[in-house]
Amino acid sequence: MKRIPYAVLLLLVVAAALVALAWPREEFIASTSPADHALVEANIARGAYLARAGDCMACHTARGGVPYAGGRALDTPFGRLVAPNITPEPTTGIGNWTPDDFWRALHNGKSKDGRLLYPAFPYVNYTRVTRRDADALFAYLRTLPPVRQPNLPHELRFPYNQQLTLAGWRLLYFRPGVQQPDASRDARWNRGAYLVEGLGHCAACHSTRNSLGATEGTLGGGLIPTLGWYAPSLTSDAEAGLGNWSEAHIVQLLGTGVAPGASVTGPMAEVVVQSLQHMTKDDLGAMAAYLKSLPAASNGERPAAPRPSEQTMRAGERLYGQHCATCHGERGEGKGPYPTLARNRALALSEPVNAIRVVLNGGFAPGTQGNPRPYGMPPFGHVLGDTEVAALVSFLRASWGNAAAPVSSAEVNRYRSVPLD
């Protein structure tokens, strides 16, 4: 990711500040009724479901920490951000917030004290959430056990740690607005669009980001440098495009983590475990219908990928026979629950990071209610060196109908040092 020269960034910020003086006031939508955020069983249950759909606990819970008490760090190209405590504790959490305060955070990206929030909290997507759903979500959070856990400060480099810089970013890339139904589509499609584009914030990972961290395009795939994984395109059949999938198989993959010929791993496995498996079949079906309706990306004419050297292919073939063929077959045909590697789109992605990380760290589908005893692949990072992993992955990416570029030992080494969290 290229760095913006400070002089250019300063001009951008000054221009943004001048324009912001005349910018319209933020959108505010009053609660339709105090009953919407009342602590009654229906609101709490609705809010709990919405919290699952938004996967709120994933970011607001440190590894091994108390749920929703904050502390999980996210390393970005601009520095480290730390998720806050959102339990109803009054001094370190959101115990003294009102429903309006919560709405401003979710919808407008502003904290109770008026401070602008960083878009690592995906209010760019959450702004689409209705006021009624926001109120129910707030009602649920108020029922959590209050945890006194002070919030840790962010560690961002200058000028990204300045509120004025963030104001300029928002001017360029953020417009608050609740998701509006498309009258030309049925209720099921609109529900899917609302979940995918809003609470589900799928674009936060499955879209490319520019040099200032703003998403570009719609679900066209993107490298997640903070996590060291590539989230494939959901619109390109060369990657993870779902146009040719049946809705039933999409629902199965989202709800269990596995489907015929596919399984999720890495960060998506966490999403399935903590969020998607808890959603209703109707909602998963609506998401599947929406995803299938997205315009297919034009893959264009890709230049032919360079083939690995014969020396690399021989080394990779030898390593494959020693470590992989027992489960994946002599020619990558797969055996039993173990996936086929021949013509495998996940292996042939232009970004090889996922294949590298699976070889290094193992590949594990999530354990879910629909897949309680998942099969997994052990890690080989402790057995194989960087040069060996590079040869093996290069061989896989160039065999049995796969035709992707080779990888280098330097690429392997880069991702060997990236933490799993």
Coordinates of all heavy atoms in Angstrom, one line a residue, residues 330-419:
E330 N -3.2 -39.0 -5.9 CA -1.9 -38.9 -6.6 C -2.0 -37.7 -7.7 O -1.0 -37.1 -8.0 CB -1.7 -40.2 -7.4 CG -1.4 -41.3 -6.4 CD 0.0 -41.2 -5.7 OE1 0.8 -40.5 -6.3 OE2 0.1 -41.7 -4.6
R331 N -3.2 -37.4 -8.2 CA -3.3 -36.4 -9.2 C -4.3 -35.3 -8.7 O -5.0 -34.7 -9.5 CB -3.8 -36.9 -10.5 CG -2.8 -38.0 -11.1 CD -3.1 -38.3 -12.5 NE -3.2 -37.1 -13.4 CZ -2.1 -36.5 -13.9 NH1 -0.9 -36.9 -13.6 NH2 -2.2 -35.4 -14.7
G332 N -4.3 -35.0 -7.4 CA -5.1 -34.0 -6.8 C -6.6 -34.2 -6.9 O -7.4 -33.2 -6.9
E333 N -7.0 -35.5 -7.1 CA -8.4 -35.7 -7.3 C -9.2 -35.7 -6.0 O -10.5 -35.7 -6.0 CB -8.6 -37.1 -8.0 CG -8.3 -38.3 -7.1 CD -6.8 -38.7 -7.2 OE1 -6.0 -37.8 -7.6 OE2 -6.5 -39.8 -6.8
G334 N -8.6 -35.7 -4.8 CA -9.2 -35.7 -3.6 C -9.7 -37.1 -3.2 O -10.0 -37.9 -4.0
K335 N -9.8 -37.3 -1.9 CA -10.2 -38.6 -1.3 C -11.2 -38.4 -0.2 O -10.8 -37.6 0.8 CB -9.1 -39.5 -0.9 CG -8.1 -39.9 -2.0 CD -7.1 -40.9 -1.4 CE -6.2 -41.4 -2.5 NZ -5.1 -42.3 -2.0
G336 N -12.3 -39.0 -0.2 CA -13.3 -38.9 0.9 C -13.6 -37.4 1.2 O -14.0 -36.6 0.3
P337 N -13.4 -37.0 2.4 CA -13.7 -35.6 2.8 C -12.7 -34.6 2.4 O -12.9 -33.4 2.5 CB -13.8 -35.7 4.3 CG -12.9 -36.7 4.7 CD -13.0 -37.8 3.6
Y338 N -11.6 -35.1 1.9 CA -10.5 -34.1 1.5 C -10.7 -33.6 0.1 O -11.0 -34.3 -0.8 CB -9.1 -34.9 1.7 CG -8.9 -35.4 3.1 CD1 -9.1 -36.7 3.4 CD2 -8.7 -34.5 4.1 CE1 -9.0 -37.2 4.7 CE2 -8.5 -35.0 5.4 CZ -8.7 -36.3 5.7 OH -8.5 -36.8 7.0
P339 N -10.5 -32.3 0.0 CA -10.9 -31.6 -1.2 C -10.0 -31.9 -2.5 O -8.9 -32.3 -2.3 CB -10.8 -30.1 -0.9 CG -9.8 -30.1 0.2 CD -10.0 -31.3 1.0
T340 N -10.7 -31.8 -3.6 CA -10.0 -31.9 -4.9 C -9.1 -30.7 -5.1 O -9.5 -29.5 -4.8 CB -11.0 -32.0 -6.0 OG1 -11.8 -33.1 -5.8 CG2 -10.3 -32.1 -7.4
L341 N -7.9 -30.9 -5.5 CA -6.9 -29.8 -5.8 C -6.9 -29.5 -7.3 O -6.4 -28.4 -7.7 CB -5.5 -30.2 -5.3 CG -5.5 -30.5 -3.7 CD1 -4.0 -30.7 -3.3 CD2 -6.1 -29.3 -2.9
A342 N -7.3 -30.4 -8.1 CA -7.3 -30.2 -9.5 C -8.3 -29.2 -9.9 O -9.5 -29.2 -9.4 CB -7.6 -31.5 -10.3
R343 N -8.0 -28.2 -10.7 CA -8.9 -27.1 -11.1 C -9.5 -26.4 -9.9 O -10.7 -26.2 -9.9 CB -9.9 -27.6 -12.1 CG -9.3 -28.1 -13.4 CD -10.3 -28.4 -14.5 NE -9.7 -28.9 -15.7 CZ -9.1 -28.1 -16.6 NH1 -9.1 -26.8 -16.5 NH2 -8.6 -28.6 -17.7
N344 N -8.7 -26.2 -8.9 CA -9.2 -25.6 -7.6 C -9.1 -24.1 -7.7 O -7.9 -23.6 -7.7 CB -8.4 -26.2 -6.5 CG -9.0 -25.8 -5.1 OD1 -9.1 -24.6 -4.8 ND2 -9.3 -26.8 -4.3
R345 N -10.2 -23.4 -7.7 CA -10.1 -21.9 -7.8 C -9.4 -21.3 -6.6 O -8.7 -20.3 -6.8 CB -11.5 -21.4 -7.9 CG -12.2 -21.7 -9.2 CD -13.6 -21.0 -9.3 NE -14.5 -21.5 -8.2 CZ -15.7 -21.0 -8.1 NH1 -16.2 -20.0 -8.8 NH2 -16.5 -21.4 -7.1
A346 N -9.5 -21.9 -5.4 CA -8.8 -21.3 -4.3 C -7.3 -21.3 -4.4 O -6.6 -20.5 -4.0 CB -9.2 -22.0 -3.0
L347 N -6.8 -22.4 -5.1 CA -5.4 -22.5 -5.3 C -4.9 -21.5 -6.4 O -3.7 -21.1 -6.4 CB -5.0 -23.9 -5.7 CG -4.8 -25.0 -4.6 CD1 -4.6 -26.3 -5.2 CD2 -3.6 -24.6 -3.8
A348 N -5.7 -21.2 -7.4 CA -5.3 -20.5 -8.5 C -5.6 -19.0 -8.4 O -5.5 -18.3 -9.4 CB -6.0 -21.0 -9.8
L349 N -5.9 -18.5 -7.2 CA -6.1 -17.1 -7.0 C -4.9 -16.3 -7.4 O -3.8 -16.8 -7.2 CB -6.5 -16.7 -5.6 CG -7.9 -17.3 -5.1 CD1 -8.0 -17.1 -3.6 CD2 -9.0 -16.6 -5.8
S350 N -5.0 -15.1 -7.9 CA -3.9 -14.3 -8.2 C -3.0 -14.0 -7.0 O -1.8 -13.9 -7.1 CB -4.3 -13.0 -8.9 OG -5.1 -12.2 -8.0
E351 N -3.7 -13.9 -5.9 CA -3.0 -13.7 -4.6 C -2.7 -15.1 -4.0 O -3.7 -15.8 -3.7 CB -3.7 -12.9 -3.6 CG -3.9 -11.4 -4.0 CD -2.6 -10.6 -3.8 OE1 -1.6 -11.2 -3.1 OE2 -2.4 -9.5 -4.2
P352 N -1.5 -15.5 -3.8 CA -1.3 -16.9 -3.3 C -1.3 -17.0 -1.8 O -1.1 -18.1 -1.2 CB 0.1 -17.2 -3.8 CG 0.8 -15.9 -3.8 CD -0.2 -14.9 -4.1
V353 N -1.6 -15.9 -1.1 CA -1.4 -15.9 0.4 C -2.2 -17.0 1.1 O -1.7 -17.7 2.0 CB -1.8 -14.5 1.0 CG1 -3.2 -14.1 0.5 CG2 -1.7 -14.6 2.5
N354 N -3.5 -17.3 0.7 CA -4.3 -18.3 1.3 C -3.7 -19.7 1.2 O -3.6 -20.4 2.2 CB -5.7 -18.3 0.8 CG -6.5 -17.0 1.0 OD1 -5.9 -16.1 1.7 ND2 -7.7 -16.9 0.5
A355 N -3.2 -20.0 0.1 CA -2.6 -21.4 -0.1 C -1.3 -21.5 0.7 O -1.0 -22.5 1.4 CB -2.2 -21.6 -1.6
I356 N -0.5 -20.4 0.8 CA 0.7 -20.4 1.6 C 0.3 -20.6 3.1 O 1.0 -21.4 3.8 CB 1.5 -19.1 1.4 CG1 2.0 -19.0 0.0 CG2 2.6 -19.0 2.4 CD1 2.6 -17.7 -0.4
R357 N -0.6 -19.9 3.5 CA -1.0 -19.9 5.0 C -1.6 -21.3 5.4 O -1.4 -21.8 6.5 CB -1.9 -18.8 5.3 CG -1.3 -17.4 5.1 CD -1.8 -16.4 6.1 NE -1.5 -16.6 7.5 CZ -1.7 -15.8 8.5 NH1 -2.4 -14.7 8.2 NH2 -1.4 -16.1 9.7
V358 N -2.3 -21.9 4.4 CA -2.9 -23.2 4.8 C -1.8 -24.2 4.9 O -1.8 -25.1 5.8 CB -3.9 -23.6 3.7 CG1 -4.3 -25.1 3.8 CG2 -5.2 -22.8 3.9
V359 N -0.8 -24.2 4.0 CA 0.3 -25.1 4.1 C 1.1 -24.9 5.4 O 1.5 -25.8 6.1 CB 1.2 -25.0 2.8 CG1 2.5 -25.8 3.0 CG2 0.5 -25.5 1.6
L360 N 1.4 -23.6 5.7 CA 2.2 -23.3 6.9 C 1.4 -23.6 8.2 O 2.0 -24.2 9.1 CB 2.5 -21.8 6.9 CG 3.5 -21.3 5.9 CD1 3.6 -19.8 5.9 CD2 4.9 -21.9 6.2
N361 N 0.1 -23.2 8.2 CA -0.6 -23.3 9.5 C -1.7 -24.3 9.6 O -2.3 -24.5 10.6 CB -1.2 -21.9 9.8 CG -0.2 -20.8 9.8 OD1 0.9 -20.9 10.3 ND2 -0.5 -19.7 9.1
G362 N -1.9 -25.0 8.5 CA -3.0 -26.0 8.5 C -4.3 -25.4 7.9 O -4.5 -24.2 7.9
G363 N -5.2 -26.2 7.5 CA -6.5 -25.8 7.0 C -7.6 -26.5 7.8 O -7.7 -27.7 7.8
F364 N -8.4 -25.7 8.4 CA -9.4 -26.2 9.3 C -10.7 -25.6 9.1 O -10.9 -24.4 9.3 CB -9.0 -26.0 10.8 CG -7.7 -26.6 11.2 CD1 -6.5 -25.9 11.1 CD2 -7.6 -28.0 11.5 CE1 -5.3 -26.4 11.5 CE2 -6.4 -28.5 11.8 CZ -5.2 -27.8 11.8
A365 N -11.7 -26.4 8.6 CA -13.0 -25.9 8.5 C -13.6 -25.7 9.9 O -13.1 -26.3 10.9 CB -13.9 -26.9 7.7
P366 N -14.5 -24.8 10.1 CA -15.0 -24.6 11.4 C -15.9 -25.7 12.0 O -16.6 -26.4 11.2 CB -15.9 -23.3 11.3 CG -16.3 -23.3 9.8 CD -15.2 -24.0 9.1
G367 N -15.8 -25.9 13.3 CA -16.7 -26.8 13.9 C -18.1 -26.1 14.2 O -18.1 -25.2 15.0
T368 N -19.1 -26.6 13.5 CA -20.4 -25.9 13.7 C -21.5 -27.0 14.0 O -21.2 -28.2 14.0 CB -20.8 -25.2 12.3 OG1 -20.8 -26.2 11.3 CG2 -19.8 -24.1 12.0
Q369 N -22.7 -26.5 14.2 CA -23.8 -27.4 14.5 C -24.0 -28.3 13.3 O -24.4 -29.5 13.5 CB -25.1 -26.6 14.8 CG -24.9 -25.7 16.1 CD -26.2 -24.9 16.3 OE1 -27.2 -25.1 15.7 NE2 -26.0 -23.8 17.2
G370 N -23.9 -27.8 12.1 CA -24.1 -28.6 10.9 C -22.9 -29.4 10.5 O -22.9 -30.2 9.6
N371 N -21.7 -29.1 11.1 CA -20.5 -29.8 10.8 C -19.7 -30.0 12.1 O -18.6 -29.4 12.3 CB -19.7 -29.0 9.8 CG -18.5 -29.7 9.3 OD1 -18.5 -31.0 9.1 ND2 -17.4 -29.0 9.0
P372 N -20.2 -30.8 13.0 CA -19.6 -30.8 14.4 C -18.2 -31.5 14.5 O -17.5 -31.2 15.4 CB -20.7 -31.6 15.2 CG -21.3 -32.5 14.2 CD -21.4 -31.6 12.9
R373 N -17.9 -32.3 13.5 CA -16.6 -33.0 13.5 C -15.8 -32.7 12.2 O -15.7 -33.6 11.4 CB -16.8 -34.5 13.8 CG -17.5 -34.8 15.1 CD -17.6 -36.2 15.4 NE -16.3 -36.9 15.5 CZ -16.1 -38.2 15.7 NH1 -17.2 -39.0 15.8 NH2 -14.9 -38.7 15.9
P374 N -15.4 -31.5 12.0 CA -14.8 -31.2 10.7 C -13.4 -31.9 10.5 O -12.7 -32.1 11.5 CB -14.6 -29.7 10.8 CG -14.4 -29.4 12.3 CD -15.3 -30.4 12.9
Y375 N -13.2 -32.2 9.3 CA -11.8 -32.7 8.9 C -10.9 -31.6 8.7 O -11.3 -30.5 8.2 CB -11.9 -33.6 7.6 CG -12.6 -34.9 7.8 CD1 -14.0 -35.0 7.7 CD2 -11.9 -36.0 8.2 CE1 -14.6 -36.2 7.9 CE2 -12.5 -37.3 8.3 CZ -13.9 -37.4 8.2 OH -14.5 -38.6 8.4
G376 N -9.7 -31.7 9.0 CA -8.7 -30.6 8.9 C -7.4 -31.1 8.3 O -7.1 -32.3 8.2
M377 N -6.6 -30.2 7.9 CA -5.3 -30.5 7.4 C -4.2 -30.0 8.4 O -4.3 -28.8 8.9 CB -5.1 -29.8 6.1 CG -3.7 -29.8 5.5 SD -3.6 -28.9 4.0 CE -1.9 -28.3 4.1
P378 N -3.3 -30.8 8.8 CA -2.3 -30.3 9.8 C -1.3 -29.3 9.2 O -1.2 -29.2 8.0 CB -1.5 -31.6 10.1 CG -1.6 -32.5 8.9 CD -3.0 -32.2 8.3
P379 N -0.7 -28.5 10.1 CA 0.3 -27.5 9.6 C 1.6 -28.2 9.2 O 2.0 -29.2 9.7 CB 0.5 -26.6 10.8 CG 0.2 -27.5 12.0 CD -0.9 -28.4 11.5
F380 N 2.2 -27.6 8.2 CA 3.5 -28.1 7.8 C 4.6 -27.1 7.9 O 5.8 -27.3 7.5 CB 3.5 -28.6 6.3 CG 2.7 -29.8 6.1 CD1 1.3 -29.8 5.9 CD2 3.3 -31.1 6.2 CE1 0.6 -30.9 5.7 CE2 2.5 -32.2 6.1 CZ 1.2 -32.2 5.8
G381 N 4.3 -25.9 8.5 CA 5.3 -24.9 8.7 C 6.5 -25.3 9.5 O 7.6 -24.8 9.4
H382 N 6.3 -26.2 10.5 CA 7.4 -26.7 11.3 C 8.2 -27.8 10.6 O 9.2 -28.2 11.2 CB 6.8 -27.2 12.6 CG 5.9 -28.4 12.5 ND1 4.7 -28.4 11.8 CD2 6.1 -29.7 13.0 CE1 4.2 -29.6 11.9 NE2 5.0 -30.4 12.5
V383 N 7.7 -28.3 9.5 CA 8.3 -29.4 8.8 C 9.1 -28.9 7.6 O 10.2 -29.4 7.3 CB 7.3 -30.5 8.4 CG1 8.0 -31.6 7.6 CG2 6.6 -31.1 9.7
L384 N 8.5 -28.0 6.9 CA 9.0 -27.5 5.6 C 9.6 -26.1 5.8 O 9.0 -25.2 6.4 CB 7.9 -27.5 4.6 CG 7.2 -28.8 4.3 CD1 6.1 -28.7 3.3 CD2 8.2 -29.9 3.9
G385 N 10.7 -25.9 5.1 CA 11.3 -24.5 5.1 C 10.6 -23.7 4.1 O 9.8 -24.1 3.3
D386 N 11.0 -22.4 4.0 CA 10.4 -21.5 3.1 C 10.6 -21.9 1.6 O 9.6 -21.8 0.8 CB 11.0 -20.1 3.3 CG 10.7 -19.5 4.6 OD1 9.8 -19.9 5.3 OD2 11.4 -18.5 5.0
T387 N 11.7 -22.4 1.3 CA 12.0 -22.8 -0.1 C 11.1 -24.0 -0.5 O 10.6 -24.1 -1.6 CB 13.5 -23.1 -0.3 OG1 14.2 -21.9 0.0 CG2 13.7 -23.6 -1.8
E388 N 11.0 -24.9 0.5 CA 10.1 -26.1 0.2 C 8.7 -25.8 0.1 O 8.0 -26.3 -0.8 CB 10.4 -27.1 1.4 CG 11.7 -27.7 1.4 CD 11.9 -28.6 2.6 OE1 11.7 -28.1 3.7 OE2 12.3 -29.8 2.4
V389 N 8.2 -24.9 1.0 CA 6.8 -24.5 0.9 C 6.5 -23.8 -0.4 O 5.5 -24.0 -1.1 CB 6.4 -23.6 2.1 CG1 5.0 -23.0 1.9 CG2 6.4 -24.3 3.4
A390 N 7.5 -22.9 -0.8 CA 7.3 -22.2 -2.1 C 7.3 -23.2 -3.3 O 6.4 -23.0 -4.2 CB 8.5 -21.2 -2.3
A391 N 8.1 -24.2 -3.3 CA 8.1 -25.2 -4.3 C 6.8 -26.0 -4.4 O 6.2 -26.2 -5.4 CB 9.3 -26.2 -4.2
L392 N 6.3 -26.4 -3.2 CA 5.1 -27.2 -3.1 C 3.9 -26.3 -3.6 O 3.1 -26.8 -4.4 CB 4.8 -27.6 -1.6 CG 3.5 -28.3 -1.3 CD1 3.4 -29.6 -2.2 CD2 3.4 -28.7 0.1
V393 N 3.7 -25.1 -3.1 CA 2.6 -24.3 -3.5 C 2.7 -24.0 -5.0 O 1.7 -24.0 -5.7 CB 2.5 -23.0 -2.7 CG1 1.5 -22.1 -3.2 CG2 2.3 -23.3 -1.2
S394 N 3.9 -23.7 -5.5 CA 4.1 -23.4 -6.9 C 3.7 -24.6 -7.8 O 3.0 -24.5 -8.8 CB 5.5 -23.0 -7.2 OG 5.9 -21.8 -6.6
F395 N 4.0 -25.8 -7.3 CA 3.6 -27.0 -8.0 C 2.1 -27.2 -8.0 O 1.5 -27.5 -9.1 CB 4.3 -28.2 -7.3 CG 3.7 -29.6 -7.8 CD1 4.1 -30.1 -9.0 CD2 2.8 -30.3 -7.0 CE1 3.6 -31.3 -9.4 CE2 2.3 -31.5 -7.4 CZ 2.7 -32.0 -8.6
L396 N 1.4 -26.9 -6.9 CA 0.0 -27.1 -6.8 C -0.7 -26.1 -7.8 O -1.7 -26.4 -8.4 CB -0.5 -26.9 -5.4 CG 0.0 -27.9 -4.4 CD1 -0.5 -27.5 -3.0 CD2 -0.6 -29.3 -4.7
R397 N -0.2 -24.9 -7.8 CA -0.8 -23.8 -8.6 C -0.5 -24.0 -10.1 O -1.1 -23.2 -10.9 CB -0.2 -22.4 -8.1 CG -0.8 -22.0 -6.8 CD -0.1 -20.9 -6.2 NE 0.1 -19.7 -7.0 CZ -0.8 -18.7 -7.1 NH1 -2.0 -18.8 -6.5 NH2 -0.6 -17.6 -7.8
A398 N 0.3 -25.0 -10.5 CA 0.6 -25.2 -11.9 C 0.3 -26.6 -12.4 O 0.8 -27.0 -13.5 CB 2.1 -24.8 -12.2
S399 N -0.5 -27.3 -11.6 CA -0.7 -28.7 -12.0 C -2.2 -29.0 -12.1 O -3.1 -28.3 -11.5 CB -0.2 -29.7 -10.9 OG 1.2 -29.5 -10.8
W400 N -2.6 -30.1 -12.9 CA -3.9 -30.6 -13.0 C -5.0 -29.5 -13.3 O -6.1 -29.5 -12.8 CB -4.3 -31.3 -11.6 CG -3.3 -32.1 -11.1 CD1 -2.6 -33.1 -11.7 CD2 -2.7 -32.1 -9.7 NE1 -1.7 -33.7 -10.8 CE2 -1.7 -33.1 -9.6 CE3 -3.0 -31.3 -8.6 CZ2 -1.0 -33.3 -8.4 CZ3 -2.3 -31.5 -7.5 CH2 -1.3 -32.5 -7.4
G401 N -4.6 -28.7 -14.3 CA -5.6 -27.7 -14.8 C -5.4 -26.4 -14.1 O -6.1 -25.4 -14.5
N402 N -4.7 -26.3 -13.0 CA -4.4 -25.0 -12.4 C -3.3 -24.3 -13.2 O -2.3 -24.9 -13.6 CB -3.9 -25.2 -10.9 CG -5.0 -25.9 -10.1 OD1 -6.2 -25.7 -10.3 ND2 -4.5 -26.7 -9.2
A403 N -3.4 -23.0 -13.3 CA -2.4 -22.2 -14.1 C -2.2 -20.9 -13.5 O -2.5 -19.8 -14.1 CB -2.9 -22.1 -15.6
A404 N -1.6 -20.9 -12.3 CA -1.3 -19.6 -11.6 C 0.2 -19.5 -11.4 O 1.0 -20.4 -11.5 CB -2.0 -19.6 -10.2
A405 N 0.6 -18.3 -11.2 CA 2.0 -17.9 -11.1 C 2.7 -18.6 -9.9 O 2.1 -18.9 -8.9 CB 2.2 -16.4 -11.0
P406 N 4.0 -18.9 -10.0 CA 4.7 -19.5 -8.9 C 4.9 -18.5 -7.8 O 4.7 -17.3 -7.9 CB 6.1 -19.9 -9.5 CG 6.2 -19.0 -10.7 CD 4.8 -18.7 -11.2
V407 N 5.2 -19.0 -6.6 CA 5.5 -18.1 -5.4 C 7.0 -18.3 -5.1 O 7.6 -19.3 -5.4 CB 4.6 -18.5 -4.2 CG1 3.1 -18.4 -4.6 CG2 4.9 -19.9 -3.7
S408 N 7.4 -17.3 -4.4 CA 8.8 -17.3 -4.0 C 9.0 -17.6 -2.5 O 8.0 -17.5 -1.7 CB 9.4 -15.9 -4.2 OG 8.9 -14.9 -3.4
S409 N 10.2 -18.0 -2.1 CA 10.5 -18.2 -0.7 C 10.3 -17.0 0.1 O 9.9 -17.0 1.3 CB 11.9 -18.8 -0.5 OG 12.8 -17.9 -1.0
A410 N 10.6 -15.8 -0.5 CA 10.4 -14.5 0.2 C 8.9 -14.3 0.6 O 8.6 -13.8 1.7 CB 10.9 -13.4 -0.6
E411 N 8.0 -14.7 -0.3 CA 6.6 -14.5 0.0 C 6.2 -15.5 1.1 O 5.4 -15.1 2.0 CB 5.7 -14.9 -1.3 CG 5.8 -13.8 -2.4 CD 5.0 -14.2 -3.6 OE1 5.5 -15.1 -4.3 OE2 3.9 -13.7 -3.8
V412 N 6.7 -16.7 1.1 CA 6.4 -17.6 2.2 C 6.9 -17.1 3.5 O 6.2 -17.1 4.5 CB 7.0 -19.0 1.9 CG1 6.8 -19.9 3.1 CG2 6.4 -19.6 0.6
N413 N 8.1 -16.5 3.5 CA 8.7 -16.0 4.7 C 7.9 -14.8 5.3 O 7.7 -14.7 6.5 CB 10.1 -15.6 4.5 CG 10.8 -15.1 5.8 OD1 10.9 -13.9 6.0 ND2 11.2 -16.1 6.6
R414 N 7.3 -14.0 4.4 CA 6.5 -12.9 4.8 C 5.3 -13.3 5.6 O 5.0 -12.7 6.6 CB 6.1 -12.1 3.6 CG 5.3 -10.8 3.9 CD 4.6 -10.3 2.6 NE 5.6 -10.2 1.5 CZ 5.3 -10.2 0.2 NH1 4.0 -10.3 -0.1 NH2 6.2 -10.2 -0.7
Y415 N 4.6 -14.4 5.1 CA 3.4 -14.8 5.7 C 3.7 -15.8 6.9 O 2.8 -16.0 7.7 CB 2.5 -15.4 4.7 CG 1.9 -14.3 3.8 CD1 2.3 -14.3 2.4 CD2 1.2 -13.3 4.2 CE1 1.8 -13.4 1.5 CE2 0.7 -12.3 3.4 CZ 1.1 -12.3 2.0 OH 0.6 -11.3 1.2
R416 N 4.8 -16.4 6.9 CA 5.2 -17.2 8.0 C 5.2 -16.4 9.3 O 4.9 -16.8 10.4 CB 6.6 -17.9 7.8 CG 6.9 -18.9 8.9 CD 8.4 -19.4 8.7 NE 8.5 -20.2 7.6 CZ 8.3 -21.5 7.6 NH1 7.9 -22.1 8.7 NH2 8.5 -22.3 6.5
S417 N 5.6 -15.1 9.2 CA 5.8 -14.2 10.3 C 4.5 -13.5 10.7 O 4.4 -12.8 11.7 CB 6.9 -13.2 10.1 OG 6.6 -12.4 9.0
V418 N 3.4 -13.6 9.9 CA 2.2 -12.9 10.2 C 1.4 -13.7 11.2 O 1.2 -14.9 11.0 CB 1.3 -12.8 8.9 CG1 -0.1 -12.2 9.2 CG2 2.0 -11.8 7.9
P419 N 1.0 -13.1 12.3 CA 0.3 -13.9 13.4 C -1.1 -14.3 12.9 O -1.7 -13.7 12.0 CB 0.2 -12.9 14.5 CG 0.3 -11.6 13.9 CD 1.2 -11.7 12.7

